[in-house]
Amino acid sequence: MGVTAGTRWASRAQFFSSGFIFATWGVHVPTVKAHYGIDEAELGLALLAAGAGAMFGLTSAGRWIGRHGPRRMAALCGSIYALLLAGLIAMPGYLFLLALLAAFGLVTSVFDVAINTEAAQLELRGGTPLMSGMHGMFSLGGMAGAASGSAALAAGLGAQAHLLWVAAAMVLVVAFSSMHMLPKPPIASDAAPADHRFRLPRGTLAVLGVLAALGLIAEGAIYDWSVLYMQQELGSPQKQAALAYASFSAAMAAARFGGDALRARFSPTALLRGSGILAAAAMALVLLTDLPWLALVGFAGVGIGFANVVPILFGASARVPGVEPAIGIAAVSAVAYLGFMAGPAVIGLLARASSLTAALYVVVVFAAALAASARFTGDEGRRA
């Protein structure tokens, strides 16, 4: 089966579903906290359970996807991912919630690796950049999931009913789109069995993983701290401060949809270098200006700069010689996810030790590091 418009749209639908489910979970984090009567520390432990499940999933994803193929694993894990939403506030107690969230994290991570592996294979077979647009669909799904969740709650739809409707709809989308994904290629009778075991990344994969971690730490810093920065450091009212998150997210989504055209025109090295320089300069503008409107422009520039970092790095990890795409993506994802989990704490500790403004210079430094290390995504990096 070749690359057709149907296979490309099936992959886009999977990314959209992933973003929609993730955003629905985010909408209902306060619902979960209130339903189980837990405090911030217990909620943090619940989120840690999801993170632990995700890490286990990332260590196993390459083996499972290598054995069964991205299509089967996307269908299975994506459907379970959606169905677990319906159980978020249906568990008999807090310990059961921890178990559910551990499973939630596990299937989330395997689903993400499966659909990124599929996107990488579509790029390789079709010879056309697609990864940035796929991640744009994830961003679009996240925006749609957050907006629909807010609208549903505002309309008086109960939280459980909303979760059930989303779960049912996403299972249908995942199941239908999985039917149109690429089939697992047959294994030649004289081919040696592939080694799908997870290993800690080394060489080029290790560098790509660290770069992805730097990108996600910096990206997460904007998601977690930009609104507070506008309020606390620039004295913006909450209504205006909320635009920091909105400008960053909207600019990132738009840039991802345009990212494939850039990836077709420029090498991964040149594009990552330009992205890092833009993000560093835009964040420096945010931190140096005392004009709220100019800071919002800066946050949009940061979003454009970081938009294609993960697609570039995931695409590079799928092209490392001698490494299967699923193994490469899983290895880089595991290191990146560690950075994503550690990011909020890193910024918080630095802010406590100095100031939020000083702490957010981490974004400038990490963006500059991405630009300086861009060569590892190109031909030179793939020979390392």
Side-chain angles (χ1 to χ4, degrees):
M1 178 181 176
V3 176
T4 66
T7 58
R8 290 191 290 268
W9 277 106
S11 191
R12 293 184 182 107
Q14 298 282 26
F15 275 87
F16 180 89
S17 300
S18 181
F20 199 102
I21 296 168
F22 185 76
T24 301
W25 153 240
V27 166
H28 285 287
V29 168
T31 307
V32 169
K33 182 176 182 294
H35 179 81
Y36 293 99
I38 55 179
D39 59 20
E40 283 76 9
E42 290 169 315
L43 179 60
L45 182 61
L47 296 175
L48 182 61
M55 288 304 299
F56 177 77
L58 289 170
T59 62
S60 304
R63 183 172 70 253
W64 294 339
I65 294 168
R67 182 179 303 166
H68 303 291
R71 180 166 72 173
R72 184 176 297 179
M73 293 310 301
L76 175 64
C77 292
S79 297
I80 297 173
Y81 182 26
L83 289 172
L84 288 176
L85 275 177
L88 282 175
I89 56 175
M91 293 295 99
Y94 176 66
L95 292 179
F96 290 92
L97 173 67
L98 294 181
L100 180 141
L101 287 177
F104 192 78
L106 189 155
V107 295
T108 301
S109 62
V110 178
F111 181 55
D112 284 347
V113 174
I115 61 178
N116 275 284
T117 301
E118 172 81 357
Q121 291 178 345
L122 290 175
E123 281 196 341
L124 292 172
R125 291 194 187 190
T128 303
L130 296 170
M131 188 72 79
S132 293
M134 297 298 178
H135 284 260
M137 291 299 293
F138 177 89
S139 298
L140 184 62
M143 294 167 64
S148 64
S150 176
L153 296 177
L157 184 66
Q160 185 62 67
H162 177 240
L163 290 169
L164 284 169
W165 276 108
V166 171
M170 290 299 103
V171 166
L172 291 175
V173 173
V174 168
F176 180 77
S177 55
S178 296
M179 295 168 59
H180 297 275
M181 291 172 66
L182 295 172
K184 185 177 185 293
I187 300 175
S189 58
D190 59 345
D195 185 359
H196 301 294
R197 291 175 297 172
F198 177 85
R199 295 183 180 90
L200 289 175
R202 294 179 296 178
T204 299
L205 282 179
V207 175
L208 293 174
V210 171
L211 293 179
L214 295 183
L216 287 182
I217 291 173
E219 184 180 324
I222 306 301
Y223 283 123
D224 293 329
W225 300 99
S226 59
V227 176
L228 181 62
Y229 174 82
M230 292 285 290
Q231 285 184 290
Q232 181 175 294
E233 307 295 301
L234 298 185
S236 301
Q238 186 173 5
K239 183 177 181 179
Q240 185 184 49
L243 294 176
Y245 179 92
S247 64
F248 173 79
S249 300
M252 172 172 278
R256 280 180 167 170
F257 282 116
D260 289 324
L262 293 175
R263 292 177 65 217
R265 183 172 181 179
F266 300 102
S267 69
T269 299
L271 188 54
L272 183 61
R273 183 173 292 125
S275 296
I277 292 172
L278 173 60
M283 193 65 200
L285 173 65
V286 169
L287 297 172
L288 292 173
T289 187
D290 56 359
L291 300 174
W293 70 268
L294 194 54
L296 292 177
V297 173
F299 278 124
V302 177
I304 295 171
F306 280 120
N308 292 297
V309 167
V310 170
I312 291 169
L313 295 173
F314 277 16
S317 70
R319 298 190 304 270
V320 174
V323 179
E324 290 200 11
I327 297 293
I329 291 173
V332 170
S333 296
V335 179
Y337 196 79
L338 286 174
F340 183 73
M341 291 193 295
V346 169
I347 300 297
L349 290 172
L350 290 174
R352 177 183 293 178
S354 53
S355 68
L356 182 55
T357 298
L360 286 175
Y361 271 101
V362 164
V363 177
V364 179
V365 173
F366 285 1
L370 286 167
S373 306
R375 66 185 180 87
F376 289 98
T377 64
D379 293 335
E380 181 178 354
R382 289 197 291 274
R383 289 195 299 266

